[in-house]
Amino acid sequence: MLQNKVALITGGTKGIGYGIAKCLMDQGVHVAITSRSSARSHEIAGKLNASSKAGAKAIGLKADVTDFKSQQDAVKDVVSQFGQLDVVIANAGVGHFASIEDITLQQWQDTIDTNLTGAFYTIKASVDALKNSQGYYISISSLAGTNFFANGSAYNASKFGVTGFTQAVMLDLRKYGIKVSTIMPGSVSTHFNGNEPDASDAWKIQSEDIGELVVDLLKMNPRTLPSKIEVRPTTPPSK
């Protein structure tokens, strides 16, 4: 069903993005992963290709989600190399956490530009390609996009924005046969915000769990659209 489909994943060199890329390739989906580092994107694409079991190919692209032309160029590169674009995953994100008294103007701007404007640029640059394929756009939001917390003003604002933005895009694009969903994970075992995953993170959602969820969405009957999916660890540690 997914064999030879083509996916573009922003921030695909680690964490959730990498987990999604790996699961899609296991289904025969060709993937393009982006990073602000050309060397990093090519390195991880090579790693994905080395473990490919279903004939799928990965390519690495240098692209910055805060730069619209960069996103346009990434989409053009994908279509040029694979001939189509079926799935777009807006995954790239950052987190700066501090009280409103302490968060800097630059930290605020970086969070909004990457997490929210980056999601806008990603879909804006790929709408025409997704119209051609009647494809699927998925944003990676967060439970922080519905649950606010202290020291989270910038991150909460960005993820509340991503959630609302994606739901509005869903209404805009479904008339073209494009499916749009946002996934809102809770605690995920990744390198996000300087974390080093280890055995103590075993209770958390794993990146491949999000990858499996994306596969499930892509395989769902076209008549049905889970437009907003909240995902939590089954058993968080007791407080």
Side-chain angles (χ1 to χ4, degrees), residues 79-161:
V79 174
S80 174
Q81 293 200 47
F82 292 112
Q84 65 195 65
L85 178 59
D86 304 286
V87 182
V88 175
I89 312 287
N91 166 73
V94 298
H96 296 292
F97 302 96
S99 74
I100 192 61
E101 298 170 289
D102 299 325
I103 196 162
T104 68
L105 300 183
Q106 183 56 49
Q107 288 173 326
W108 170 271
Q109 202 65 57
D110 185 39
T111 305
I112 299 300
D113 286 352
T114 303
N115 296 358
L116 180 53
T117 305
F120 166 65
Y121 285 168
T122 299
I123 183 59
K124 187 71 173 177
S126 57
V127 164
D128 288 343
L130 290 177
K131 283 182 181 179
N132 289 337
S133 64
Q134 291 194 312
Y136 210 135
Y137 170 73
I138 298 172
S139 68
I140 305 301
S141 184
S142 169
L143 288 182
T146 192
N147 301 320
F148 52 84
F149 52 87
N151 297 323
S153 58
Y155 193 70
N156 283 146
S158 71
K159 291 302 187 178
F160 268 71

Side-chain angles (χ1 to χ4, degrees), residues 180-203:
V180 177
S181 299
T182 188
I183 298 174
M184 306 171 67
S187 299
V188 183
S189 177
T190 70
H191 291 87
F192 183 73
N193 206 36
N195 180 60
E196 284 296 330
D198 57 29
S200 67
D201 292 316
W203 63 273

Side-chain angles (χ1 to χ4, degrees), residues 42-65:
H42 284 93
E43 174 193 352
I44 301 304
K47 180 179 177 182
L48 287 166
N49 283 321
S51 62
S52 179
K53 300 174 183 176
K57 179 184 178 183
I59 61 170
L61 301 174
K62 179 180 180 180
D64 184 346
V65 296

